[in-house]
Structures are given as C-alpha cells and as structure tokens.
Amino acid sequence: MSYSNKKIESVAVALKKRLAKAEDKTSILRSAELKSLGAEIPLLKPAERAAFGKELNQLKAELTKLVAEAADDDETLEPIDVTAPMDINAGLPAFLLTENGSRHPLMTELQKISDIFARMGFVTEESRHIDDEYHMFDSLNFPKDHPARDDYDTFMTTEGLIAPAHTSTMQNRYLKKYAPNLKADRPIAVAVPDRVFRNEDLDARHEHTFYQLEGIYVDKGVHAGNLIATLKTFLEEYYQQELEVRTQPFYFPFTEPSFEFAISCPFCAKKGCKVCSHAGWIELLGCGMIHPNVLKMAGIDPSVYTGFAWGMGIDRLVMMKQSIEDVRHFESAKLEFLRQFK
C-alpha cells in the first residue's frame, strides 16, 4: 500500500523494513514515528486533518496486519519434556567460572566441623528432610501428649509426614546401623550435620530453616564427664582458644540426665559484650546421657552400654565465629552478604 502524504509514506517504508528484522514485531506498533505522526494532526490546517488522519489510520491498520501475519509465520517449536534429562532438550548450559563464585559460609564451616569430629573418631552421616512420626517422636521417648508433637512447633503434612525439627530423628537409625561396633568392642560415634525445619516467628536469631549437628556416642562405661570433655575439645578446636564450660540441668525426653551447655564467651573472655549479652557466658546447646528407653528402642542393652548425645545449631556457631548479626542472611541469597566469604 502506498500513501499520498510524503511523511506517512516515508514512515511506512522505514517501519516495514524494521519490522522484517525486529525480534519483537509488536514494538513497531509502539514506535516513536507513529506517535510523532499522531502529534502532528493538531498542528495541521483544518482542511488537511481529515485526509492525514485517514492515511495514518490506514498505516496503523496495515502494520497491525503485518505484525499478525508475522506471528502466524513463526516457527513451531517442538514441545519440551520437562521430565527428561537435560541433554535430551538442549546442550549443557554455559557455567560460570569458579572464580566468580564461592562456597556458602555454612558449607565451608560445616566441612571444618566434620573434619574436627573425624579427627576425634566420629563418622559423619546425613539426615533426612522428610520423616515420620516414629523417628521424630516415638523412638526418642516423647510421650504421646508431649507439646512438641503439636504442629505449631513442627511442619507436618496431611499424610502424617514431618519435616524434621531436629537431626535427632536419625538417632534410632544410626544406633541400629552401628550396633555391630559394640559387639566388636568399638564405640558408636556418629556426627549428623543437616538441615532442620521449625515453625518459627522469624527475626535476627530465629529462622524456619537452619542447620543442626547431632552427636551420638555409645560404649561401655560412658559417663557425663566424657560428654563434657568431648564438647569442650570440639569447641576449643573450632574457636582456636581455650574455653571454660558449664552445664545446668534441663529436660529432654531422649536424654537422662539432660543439660544445657554453656561456654565462656570467646570474644570477651567473660568480661561481657554484645555477643554474650554482657553475661560472659553463651548458652550453646542441649545435651545429655541417652535415655535407656532410646537405647532399648534401638536394640541396645542399657544395662551394659551407656552413651551421650547432643544437638547444636551450626548457624549459631558460624554467626559467632564470623560476627554475623542476623541468621536470616544465610537463606537470603544476597550477593552482598555471600561475597564477603570469597
């Protein structure tokens, strides 16, 4: 189609050429040239406006038709099978060079923690991210009416499955797995670092997803002094300084006796600072001697063998070590936070 108005004809030729090369064909209909032609109408003599407006509308209609035809001519792509392996649908993606990234600070510190316990004779095992009520509660001596079974504390599915609120869900499994060690006069010594999930109100010290380290040790003649010495040795190695420790009685269904374990603040030497809330001590974890009922559930005779267990938050250990003020940074995926640990 040709146009008698020279300006409209010139714009028509230019836009049709651009349409042939444009990836987004619809951008032609929003072009500055069309807007400029429309803005000229009020500036024309009254006798010229009708003819100019008519041709401008014809140009818009022609371009709209051409855009629609171009869309119909687009190549029909084969459907993608989202369940297929990557190489069926496309080649491997271009990966970023390793120097452009870094390990997450939690993963870096988790490796260091596992290395320390390996040198102390512990094997490292994984936990699960979905589990059942038996391993979450029953195998750990939780009474049927214990408030922790309430879904206000724990994420539960309608099928009765549970997102573990602690890595202690693995205790029964690993006591059974490594029970043959006892018959061979070797201890059960297992460290289980992994993610856990809780229905928390989020703030700088509380997160719904975090990492916890479960520790299990069983042998003949094991007592609370062994527990305290084990934790003190680990923490002094992790923080690379001598620490004082103290315990106070507490209650956990799966340990008896149970303790809260505190260390002298590694940042102020008990003088008082923001990290320890000026108390000089930091309550760090819960621990205790494994309850006889828990050992029985795993087929271990509590009259012959005793053991201890603990659960400590890895996020909190790392926050203290790296002076991180907000636990939510770990799950935020903020590059300005992660780049500090390159």
Side-chain angles (χ1 to χ4, degrees):
M1 179 183 293
S2 60
Y3 300 91
S4 58
N5 185 283
K6 292 183 178 179
K7 281 189 177 181
I8 293 178
E9 176 65 21
S10 175
V11 169
V13 172
L15 292 183
K16 289 175 185 178
K17 288 182 179 179
R18 194 185 307 167
L19 177 65
K21 299 178 180 179
E23 291 186 8
D24 179 10
K25 307 295 185 184
T26 60
S27 65
I28 299 300
L29 303 177
R30 304 186 300 271
S31 64
E33 291 89 339
L34 285 178
K35 292 178 181 178
S36 178
L37 290 175
E40 286 191 28
I41 294 177
L43 306 177
L44 297 174
K45 296 177 181 179
E48 298 174 348
R49 292 175 185 173
F52 187 91
K54 181 179 178 181
E55 288 206 331
L56 177 57
N57 286 335
Q58 289 174 342
L59 173 59
K60 290 179 179 179
E62 182 185 11
L63 291 173
T64 299
K65 182 180 179 182
L66 292 173
V67 168
E69 290 174 350
D72 291 339
D73 292 339
D74 282 349
E75 179 185 357
T76 301
L77 300 177
E78 291 293 326
I80 294 176
D81 179 2
V82 297
T83 66
M86 182 186 300
D87 60 338
I88 288 181
N89 296 313
L92 290 173
F95 292 107
L96 291 173
L97 297 175
T98 55
E99 54 264 30
N100 292 334
S102 63
R103 296 188 72 190
H104 193 282
L106 281 178
M107 297 300 99
T108 299
E109 296 302 313
L110 194 153
Q111 184 61 58
K112 293 178 182 177
I113 290 168
S114 296
D115 288 345
I116 293 172
F117 277 110
R119 285 186 276 126
M120 294 173 67
F122 286 76
V123 296
T124 299
E125 292 276 9
E126 293 183 340
S127 183
R128 299 186 177 193
H129 296 166
I130 196 76
D131 216 320
D132 53 51
E133 189 171 358
Y134 174 79
H135 289 96
M136 178 74 191
F137 300 121
D138 297 343
S139 70
L140 294 172
N141 200 43
F142 277 83
K144 289 294 183 185
D145 58 351
H146 195 282
R149 290 177 180 258
D150 195 330
D151 60 4
Y152 289 109
D153 297 321
T154 308
F155 293 111
M156 304 182 72
T157 71
T158 54
E159 294 84 5
L161 296 174
I162 297 172
H166 49 203
T167 45
S168 302
T169 54
M170 303 305 295
Q171 193 170 133
N172 179 265
R173 292 184 175 97
Y174 291 133
L175 286 174
K176 290 178 178 178
K177 177 178 178 179
Y178 291 100
N181 285 17
L182 301 176
K183 295 180 181 179
D185 292 326
R186 290 183 287 115
I188 297 174
V190 185
V192 188
D194 217 323
R195 276 194 296 187
V196 294
F197 313 88
R198 293 185 186 174
N199 190 3
E200 295 275 10
D201 292 326
L202 305 188
D203 58 33
R205 294 190 177 188
H206 297 87
E207 175 64 278
H208 58 71
T209 302
F210 57 98
Y211 280 79
Q212 189 180 66
L213 175 71
E214 178 81 5
I216 309 163
Y217 190 91
V218 177
D219 202 354
K220 292 179 180 178
V222 176
H223 52 77
N226 302 133
L227 163 64
I228 295 170
T230 299
L231 292 172
K232 185 174 186 292
T233 299
F234 161 71
L235 291 166
E236 288 183 338
E237 180 67 19
Y238 184 66
Y239 287 113
Q240 290 292 293
Q241 60 180 283
E242 291 188 6
L243 298 169
E244 295 181 51
V245 301
R246 71 181 185 186
T247 61
Q248 62 184 25
F250 201 68
Y251 169 75
F252 299 108
F254 37 86
T255 51
E256 179 60 37
S258 303
F259 309 103
E260 281 188 339
F261 188 94
I263 62 171
S264 56
C265 181
F267 304 100
C268 68
K270 294 171 60 179
K271 295 177 181 178
C273 65
K274 288 183 179 180
V275 177
C276 63
S277 301
H278 299 282
W281 292 88
I282 298 174
E283 290 184 5
L284 200 58
L285 58 96
C287 58
M289 302 301 293
I290 299 176
H291 198 289
N293 290 346
V294 175
L295 292 175
K296 289 178 184 177
M297 284 275 199
I300 297 173
D301 186 350
S303 66
V304 178
Y305 300 99
T306 52
F308 56 76
W310 74 82
M312 70 175 79
I314 296 175
D315 300 55
R316 192 174 184 194
L317 290 179
V318 178
M319 287 176 70
M320 290 169 53
K321 186 176 183 180
Q322 301 289 353
S323 300
I324 297 169
E325 80 288 355
D326 194 324
V327 69
R328 292 170 292 187
H329 288 325
F330 290 128
E331 300 286 336
S332 69
K334 292 181 178 178
L335 292 179
E336 59 267 31
F337 169 72
L338 297 174
R339 283 171 178 155
Q340 298 177 69
F341 303 95
K342 287 192 68 172

